[in-house]
Amino acid sequence: MMAAFTELIKNFDKIRDYARDFLVYGYKCRNDYTHKSSRSYDNERRRIESYLAGYIHWETSARGKNLFISTDTGDLSQNPLFSVWETKSFTANDCLLHFCLFDILKNHPGSTAQTAAALLYEQYLSCFDDCEMPDTMTVRNKLNEYVAAGLFQKQKNGKTLHYFISDSKLDNALPEIINKLAVPIHFFENITPAGVLGYFIRRDTGQNPGIFSFRHFFASHTLDDEVLLKILSAIQEQRSIQLETCSNRSKNPSCQTILPLKIAINVKHGRRYLLAYNSRTHNFFSYRLDYLKKVKVLEQSSVFTKHLSELETRLLRTWGVYLGRKNHIEQLEMVLAIDEESEAYVLTRLQREGKHGTVEKLADNRFVYRIEVSDTQEMVPWLRTFIGRIISLTGSNQRIMKQFHEDIECMTHMYED
């Protein structure tokens, strides 16, 4: 007999994959999911529709019914994807031990696992004839699980472990302090990694969503926060990691061992990257965080500082996150027509967004912008924003220059037609 459908799920990675497919890549129909069974697709779709009720939309095309998540960030007061963190399944024993162990340690702080198991039977379960009593090992495992989660703490006396409820400064804080914290917590839960923790604090203290709305609000970041925290922990301890990656183009996951060095965030478009050194290929690479499926922290590295210093040097010559080949530099020169009186804002923008490039005045209302970067390709979207003012564009990467000019000619023909 097939198991009954339930909204709760044990493995968060499944929900992460499906939410990412719907939100980040979007517009997927049932036939697009060839790597899962139809029943698996239906179950995960029903869960996401339940978690994100009000945000799921669909369109009908020749390929079938396309589902996607649609949100207007201007109307959001909190991240709707935080709800996927409240979906973990639990057993009857999990539920029983959660409430009873908190009650036991509140009334009998410092209890051992054996004492807690005895109190559990005497004070809570002995009056039930058909209730199955968890054994001492199960109670000890749950106590240690909550110690790892920070809910309990343990003290060793000889060979015996005694357990206590962890002190929470938030529980002891005055109501007026809690109220004052609500606004900053709401702000940081939407802009910092692991912001879901702020959501839980605000929810548990009865605080409503705050007053902020964000122009650049990237709800999908919360799906990658667990991976990000492991990477940040590895960077802090200067440890290597083993990555399992899987992109939307390549369905087959690949594993590699790298040394994580930095996290780079595109605050305009929302993509987050891991900048790392690969000792097998002896080069630096960037990895999109939403393509990382699993991270395993390995041993400490003795060359972390050396490679971090090399990375900082390369970043001085990069436009985006392509770290390029060692000592490979490309030149670019762009001559622009800018009216100094009526279009001074264009000149200001050129200087502000042009990074380490230089701006020189050639004549009245004529300027040249020069830069050396590791990859001209990354600059193309920015260069296109100056179309209409560009007098000439030259560079050492002939392939990119040829493609840029061909695109302009193609666009010209389209308008002429």
Side-chain angles (χ1 to χ4, degrees), residues 51-185:
Y51 304 154
L52 302 174
Y55 300 103
I56 298 290
H57 297 262
W58 58 272
E59 290 178 352
T60 303
S61 69
R63 296 187 301 118
K65 186 177 179 181
N66 300 317
L67 289 171
F68 57 93
I69 299 172
S70 177
T71 59
D72 184 346
T73 57
D75 296 334
L76 292 178
S77 57
Q78 69 180 33
N79 190 339
L81 288 178
F82 284 158
S83 61
V84 301
W85 290 102
E86 300 172 295
T87 60
K88 183 175 174 56
S89 62
F90 52 84
T91 65
N93 263 350
D94 289 333
C95 193
L96 170 72
L97 291 174
H98 177 84
F99 292 103
C100 289
L101 289 180
F102 268 99
D103 206 33
I104 289 171
L105 293 187
K106 181 179 179 181
N107 296 319
H108 305 277
S111 296
T112 64
Q114 291 84 352
T115 305
L119 290 170
L120 179 65
Y121 175 74
E122 293 169 7
Q123 298 184 4
Y124 299 87
L125 303 180
S126 58
C127 57
F128 299 102
D129 296 331
D130 56 349
C131 183
E132 185 176 349
M133 172 65 195
D135 57 28
T136 302
M137 181 59 72
T138 303
V139 173
R140 178 181 289 108
N141 289 341
K142 181 58 70 175
L143 288 167
N144 288 331
E145 178 186 331
Y146 280 13
V147 168
L151 299 173
F152 294 165
Q153 54 183 329
K154 61 184 179 183
Q155 292 180 1
K156 194 169 186 179
N157 186 7
K159 295 183 178 179
T160 307
L161 291 174
H162 298 265
Y163 296 88
F164 304 85
I165 298 175
S166 295
D167 291 330
S168 171
K169 293 182 180 178
L170 198 63
D171 292 340
N172 299 326
L174 298 173
E176 52 266 33
I177 295 178
I178 296 293
N179 291 334
K180 289 180 180 178
L181 285 175
V183 172
I185 286 176

Side-chain angles (χ1 to χ4, degrees), residues 115-362:
T115 305
L119 290 170
L120 179 65
Y121 175 74
E122 293 169 7
Q123 298 184 4
Y124 299 87
L125 303 180
S126 58
C127 57
F128 299 102
D129 296 331
D130 56 349
C131 183
E132 185 176 349
M133 172 65 195
D135 57 28
T136 302
M137 181 59 72
T138 303
V139 173
R140 178 181 289 108
N141 289 341
K142 181 58 70 175
L143 288 167
N144 288 331
E145 178 186 331
Y146 280 13
V147 168
L151 299 173
F152 294 165
Q153 54 183 329
K154 61 184 179 183
Q155 292 180 1
K156 194 169 186 179
N157 186 7
K159 295 183 178 179
T160 307
L161 291 174
H162 298 265
Y163 296 88
F164 304 85
I165 298 175
S166 295
D167 291 330
S168 171
K169 293 182 180 178
L170 198 63
D171 292 340
N172 299 326
L174 298 173
E176 52 266 33
I177 295 178
I178 296 293
N179 291 334
K180 289 180 180 178
L181 285 175
V183 172
I185 286 176
H186 178 253
F187 178 75
F188 284 107
E189 78 179 41
N190 291 309
I191 64 168
T192 58
V196 67
L197 300 178
Y199 163 72
F200 287 144
I201 293 173
R202 196 166 49 75
R203 182 202 62 182
D204 293 347
T205 53
Q207 302 294 331
N208 294 320
I211 59 176
F212 298 104
S213 62
F214 300 87
R215 179 183 178 187
H216 298 297
F217 182 71
F218 306 106
S220 62
H221 282 181
T222 191
L223 300 174
D224 309 318
D225 276 348
E226 190 173 27
V227 168
L228 175 62
L229 289 180
K230 284 186 179 179
I231 294 172
L232 290 175
S233 174
I235 292 175
Q236 186 177 36
E237 297 175 5
Q238 302 184 2
R239 293 178 178 273
S240 299
I241 59 175
Q242 185 181 64
L243 286 181
E244 182 178 318
T245 62
C246 184
S247 71
N248 195 36
R249 296 175 181 173
S250 173
K251 297 300 181 184
N252 298 321
S254 62
C255 288
Q256 50 187 305
T257 300
I258 59 169
L259 179 62
L261 298 170
K262 266 183 175 291
I263 298 294
I265 302 176
N266 184 324
V267 296
K268 184 176 180 181
H269 299 106
R271 284 182 179 169
R272 301 190 293 184
Y273 297 87
L274 164 64
L275 310 183
Y277 180 78
N278 189 320
S279 57
R280 187 177 63 83
T281 58
H282 304 289
N283 206 351
F284 295 90
F285 293 93
S286 57
Y287 303 83
R288 276 179 58 170
L289 281 190
D290 55 320
Y291 286 172
L292 306 185
K293 290 182 66 69
K294 293 180 181 176
V295 172
K296 181 181 179 182
V297 180
L298 303 175
E299 71 281 357
Q300 202 165 31
S301 171
S302 60
V303 292
F304 179 89
T305 305
K306 173 191 170 188
H307 292 312
L308 179 61
S309 177
E310 293 176 6
L311 175 65
E312 298 283 4
T313 303
R314 287 203 187 192
L315 287 175
L316 295 176
R317 295 293 183 184
T318 61
W319 183 263
V321 293
Y322 178 73
L323 302 174
R325 305 186 299 274
K326 189 177 182 180
N327 300 325
H328 175 77
I329 295 296
E330 298 177 357
Q331 291 80 31
L332 180 134
E333 181 177 298
M334 177 170 61
V335 179
L336 296 161
I338 302 174
D339 189 315
E340 296 177 64
E341 293 186 0
S342 63
E343 297 179 329
Y345 62 92
V346 178
L347 192 59
T348 302
R349 177 177 162 241
L350 183 66
Q351 294 168 330
R352 185 183 68 243
E353 298 179 359
K355 299 197 174 180
H356 55 278
T358 59
V359 179
E360 181 185 348
K361 183 175 180 178
L362 298 177

